[in-house]
Amino acid sequence: TDSGKPVPGMCLGLVFGLGGGGAKASLISESYPGLASLVTKWARVTLPKTRDGDDFPFSSLQINYNYAAKKHVDGNNIGPSYIVSIGEHTGGALWTADQGVIDCRGNWRLFDGNREHATEPFQGTRISFIAFTHGLYNKLTPYVANQLGDLGFNAARTDGKDLPFFEAFRIEKSYLTDDHNAAFKAFREARKAEDMPPPAHPGAVA
């Protein structure tokens, strides 16, 4: 974080290990594979499908406890990400540069981790889950790819090739969903009404 304090949470699945560890399963995933498998299974069952009706691909699950992220752009994230928050809390929506504020309490909401985003103020207990894909998901060793697959993560490859979902995203730079396109257009019109310069494309920051 900007303050130097650790984020109160953990990442399941693929991470980049410090000290020469490279792309690997996180220590918490290796230490508690049953927990990782359970949470991953819950995510895959509850996450919305892609436009093509496929399971949303993800290599990692970040879990944060009562953490209000300041405005930032994710590192090591291809982009398409889903977030949901649970717990007894008020507030805590996600501000995004291209969709405005989105309410993620109790429902998975799609956003782009490569665009600026931040947590709105909240009160109470807020636990957030973010499903995303690490930029090295397709450059893994066979051991790590199999390990992640066994834990339930469905974005883990060794061949250097993109999954079709990410291949399309890299080309089109869009979420490939009608909901996101509608949210972007509504946010753009709101900015026009306030005499603010509209973003030139989804994700552009004024």
Side-chain angles (χ1 to χ4, degrees), residues 57-193:
F58 64 103
S59 69
S60 311
L61 267 173
Q62 178 67 34
I63 306 172
N64 297 329
Y65 177 77
N66 281 349
Y67 176 62
K70 296 182 179 179
K71 188 182 295 185
H72 70 287
V73 174
D74 292 344
N76 298 321
N77 181 350
I78 290 179
S81 309
Y82 267 102
I83 182 173
V84 64
S85 67
I86 62 173
E88 294 297 325
H89 64 278
T90 56
L94 184 73
W95 174 87
T96 65
D98 58 346
Q99 298 185 76
V101 177
I102 57 177
D103 182 9
C104 58
R105 182 179 178 185
N107 291 291
W108 288 105
R109 296 298 303 272
L110 188 63
F111 73 102
D112 187 350
N114 287 336
R115 309 301 183 188
E116 283 190 316
H117 55 281
T119 307
E120 295 277 285
F122 65 89
Q123 292 183 331
T125 300
R126 181 182 183 274
I127 304 171
S128 61
F129 298 79
I130 302 96
F132 68 97
T133 295
H134 195 287
L136 296 176
Y137 84 97
N138 57 359
K139 300 179 179 67
L140 306 177
T141 64
Y143 175 81
V144 172
N146 290 333
Q147 187 181 27
L148 293 172
D150 289 343
L151 293 174
F153 294 95
N154 58 352
R157 304 182 67 153
T158 63
D159 57 8
K161 297 180 180 179
D162 261 330
L163 291 170
F165 178 83
F166 295 120
E167 184 177 20
F169 174 79
R170 292 182 194 276
I171 295 172
E172 299 181 17
K173 296 300 180 186
S174 72
Y175 286 119
L176 315 179
T177 69
D178 294 329
D179 287 344
H180 168 263
N181 291 334
F184 169 71
K185 291 177 181 177
F187 187 46
R188 181 179 58 188
E189 292 304 314
R191 291 165 66 95
K192 287 182 180 179

Side-chain angles (χ1 to χ4, degrees), residues 20-41:
K24 56 179 291 185
S26 67
L27 179 59
I28 192 73
S29 300
E30 292 185 324
S31 300
Y32 301 97
L35 170 66
S37 296
L38 178 64
V39 178
T40 304
K41 182 178 181 179

